[in-house]
Amino acid sequence: AKDANFTGNWGKLEPEFVEHLKLLIEWMMKPENLKAKSIFGMELTGRTYHGYIKAFCDAFQSPEIPSTTSLFNITLHHQMRTIIDECIRDYHEEMKQFEDVRKSDFEAQLNRGYQAAKSQALGKFKSKKKIGNKRHEEQFLRILENEIGSAFTLTKSRFMSEHKKYLELKEMQEQV
């Protein structure tokens, strides 16, 4: 680093510089010095960050330079999608407690669970800090509501089928 004729050959780095570089890297990699990347206050996971980078790289692959509006839309979409995915995961986790098909009031309990889990997921979505305006939030809130509705339809169909099998099995056991 002191040699004006240094050509970039790593093997010719001065030992003192290499030692300081090792100390710097060691300090930078300590957990307390590592800060999570965040966008608009939302910490990103590796998967989410990868999604942002891929979307931006795709945008810059086009023959034209992307507009600020298209870059904003990429960020908006990925942020909203991340929040929706988190809310959907929480919804499914909440619905697990209503999987007991052996209860006599199973369907009513499943419907109550759906309303509670849906309300919780929508509340979480609304409470998250987001970019965009009210129109954007309403648009993605409808997407979340539709996805929760679709998930419930599939869940209810599967659980009702299992409940029916349970009742049939129970009836057969009672006849024996």
Side-chain angles (χ1 to χ4, degrees):
K2 295 178 189 174
D3 183 359
N5 296 323
F6 181 69
T7 62
N9 183 341
W10 286 72
K12 296 193 178 185
L13 287 173
E14 296 173 16
E16 182 184 3
F17 180 79
V18 170
E19 191 58 38
H20 282 94
L21 186 59
K22 286 179 181 177
L23 290 172
L24 175 65
I25 291 170
E26 187 179 303
W27 176 83
M28 289 173 58
M29 298 309 289
K30 286 184 179 177
E32 63 268 16
N33 296 330
L34 295 174
K35 303 294 180 221
K37 174 69 179 149
S38 66
I39 293 181
F40 203 67
M42 190 172 82
E43 286 190 3
L44 302 179
T45 63
R47 179 180 301 213
T48 306
Y49 189 61
H50 177 264
Y52 276 105
I53 298 301
K54 183 175 179 341
F56 282 115
C57 287
D58 290 347
F60 282 100
Q61 293 284 331
S62 75
E64 299 172 10
I65 295 176
S67 68
T68 54
T69 302
S70 66
L71 294 176
F72 169 79
N73 286 333
I74 289 169
T75 305
L76 172 73
H77 176 80
H78 277 280
Q79 186 202 37
M80 293 292 191
R81 188 71 250 169
T82 299
I83 294 170
I84 287 172
D85 290 346
E86 184 180 328
C87 292
I88 292 288
R89 274 192 305 277
D90 289 357
Y91 164 80
H92 283 294
E93 196 60 37
E94 187 68 21
M95 287 300 291
K96 283 183 181 178
Q97 65 184 311
F98 302 101
E99 292 180 0
D100 189 354
V101 297
R102 297 169 295 176
K103 296 184 177 177
S104 59
D105 65 339
F106 167 72
E107 188 172 4
Q109 203 171 44
L110 185 63
N111 287 324
R112 282 192 304 273
Y114 162 70
Q115 291 301 327
K118 177 182 173 182
S119 178
Q120 187 176 350
L122 296 177
K124 182 174 190 167
F125 179 87
K126 291 174 184 175
S127 72
K128 290 284 190 172
K129 189 174 179 183
K130 301 175 226 38
I131 62 172
N133 57 33
K134 194 74 172 159
R135 183 181 56 81
H136 294 122
E137 182 173 357
E138 289 168 358
Q139 173 189 357
F140 284 94
L141 183 62
R142 282 191 302 275
I143 291 170
L144 175 59
E145 288 173 329
N146 290 338
E147 288 186 20
I148 289 172
S150 296
F152 179 66
T153 300
L154 291 172
T155 300
K156 186 173 183 179
S157 174
R158 182 171 53 95
F159 286 169
M160 292 306 291
S161 175
E162 290 175 15
H163 183 64
K164 182 180 177 187
K165 288 177 188 174
Y166 167 74
L167 292 176
E168 289 170 354
L169 181 63
K170 185 177 173 184
E171 186 178 316
M172 285 175 30
Q173 288 174 341
E174 289 172 356
Q175 290 177 355
V176 173

